[in-house]
């Protein structure tokens, strides 16, 4: 069934989400994918991302990075952020999501997952019974080559866009300009 790939919401980037709204909706824990969600694949964190996490933590959110990448990569990214993390997560296996909730002390009902890949991040969140927000994958200017998985994702999202009941399941969580 294709709906196992459907996110609750689709936005341009992690910065396009109204986190105050998420808090008001009762969310307390956020699981973040790293590569192409927070930074371009393999990049270190940067001041904008560091400040972003500082802000979330000040608001009271618990956060956990959930990455299929190896420890050294995730630790390098996390150096200035200092949040909880899980590496070698093997998404969409729900185990990593369960562990992330355990680490954050949150539950299915107050945890949301944010990532750029339907087959791993979103499918895994659905497998774990938690809401998810798909973000458009980070691309470098001029970068043309995309993986074959992206074509499957375009197809999934095309069907998602035409099925009203699966869209905007978190209400209006887009940040107003
Ligand atoms: Mg990713």
């Amino acid at each position: 069934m294709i709906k196992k790939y459907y996110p609750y919401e689709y936005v341009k980037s992690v910065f396009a989400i109204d986190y105050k709204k998420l808090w008001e909706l009762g969310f307390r824990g956020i699981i973040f994918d790293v590569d192409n969600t927070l930074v371009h694949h393999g990049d270190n964190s940067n001041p904008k991302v560091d400040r972003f996490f500082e802000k979330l933590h000040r608001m009271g959110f618990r956060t956990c990075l959930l990455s299929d990448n190896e420890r050294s990569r995730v630790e390098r990214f996390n150096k200035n952020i200092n949040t909880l993390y899980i590496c070698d997560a093997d998404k969409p296996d729900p185990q990593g999501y369960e562990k992330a909730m355990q680490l954050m002390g949150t539950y299915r009902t107050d945890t949301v997952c944010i990532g750029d890949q339907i087959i791993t991040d979103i499918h895994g969140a659905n497998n774990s019974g938690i809401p998810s927000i798909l973000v458009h994958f980070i691309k470098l200017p001029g970068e043309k080559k995309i993986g074959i998985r992206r074509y499957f994702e375009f197809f999934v999202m095309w069907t998602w866009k035409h099925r009203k009941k699966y869209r905007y399941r978190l209400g209006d969580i887009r940040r107003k300009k």
Side-chain angles (χ1 to χ4, degrees):
M1 287 280 267
I2 198 163
K3 68 178 189 197
K4 72 183 178 195
Y5 297 112
Y6 285 163
Y8 278 50
E9 182 57 275
Y10 178 36
V11 297
K12 228 169 58 196
S13 86
V14 294
F15 305 112
I17 297 168
D18 185 342
Y19 292 91
K20 205 168 148 253
K21 274 269 172 64
L22 282 185
W23 184 270
E24 284 164 10
L25 286 169
F27 290 106
R28 296 297 179 261
I30 309 177
I31 297 173
F32 280 104
D33 170 54
V34 177
D35 285 305
N36 292 343
T37 293
L38 290 162
V39 289
H40 187 256
H41 192 89
D43 279 3
N44 288 334
S45 180
N46 55 55
K48 188 179 178 187
V49 172
D50 295 346
R51 279 197 303 274
F52 169 68
F53 273 92
E54 254 171 54
K55 190 183 133 201
L56 292 179
H57 294 156
R58 256 202 320 273
M59 288 175 78
F61 281 110
R62 310 295 315 270
T63 59
C64 185
L65 308 173
L66 183 67
S67 175
D68 283 344
N69 234 310
E70 62 196 21
R71 179 172 302 276
S72 59
R73 191 278 174 273
V74 181
E75 286 182 348
R76 176 163 57 83
F77 173 82
N78 194 28
K79 208 173 119 216
N80 298 324
I81 297 172
N82 220 3
T83 186
L84 302 162
Y85 67 91
I86 294 164
C87 43
D88 301 306
D90 205 17
K91 293 179 269 188
D93 190 326
Q95 273 184 39
Y97 297 76
E98 301 282 346
K99 197 171 157 209
M101 286 188 275
Q102 259 175 35
L103 290 175
M104 294 191 291
T106 59
Y107 305 90
R108 277 188 180 75
T109 45
D110 62 4
T111 304
V112 62
C113 170
I114 302 176
D116 73 299
Q117 283 204 49
I118 285 175
I119 298 170
T120 52
D121 305 314
I122 305 305
H123 185 197
N126 286 334
N127 280 343
S128 315
I130 62 176
S132 58
I133 302 171
L134 178 73
V135 297
H136 191 77
F137 57 94
I138 295 175
K139 220 165 54 158
L140 295 179
E143 190 180 355
K144 291 234 173 60
K145 215 176 126 227
I146 56 165
I148 192 136
R149 280 172 166 208
R150 295 293 179 198
Y151 292 98
F152 174 72
E153 296 187 344
F154 291 145
F155 169 71
V156 172
M157 291 313 286
W158 182 83
T159 69
W160 179 83
K161 275 176 190 147
H162 290 85
R163 299 177 81 176
K164 255 194 184 148
K165 77 174 204 191
Y166 293 105
R167 296 175 62 190
Y168 310 124
R169 280 180 280 170
L170 296 174
D172 185 11
I173 51 125
R174 280 154 203 268
R175 200 161 69 94
K176 304 287 175 291
K177 287 267 157 64

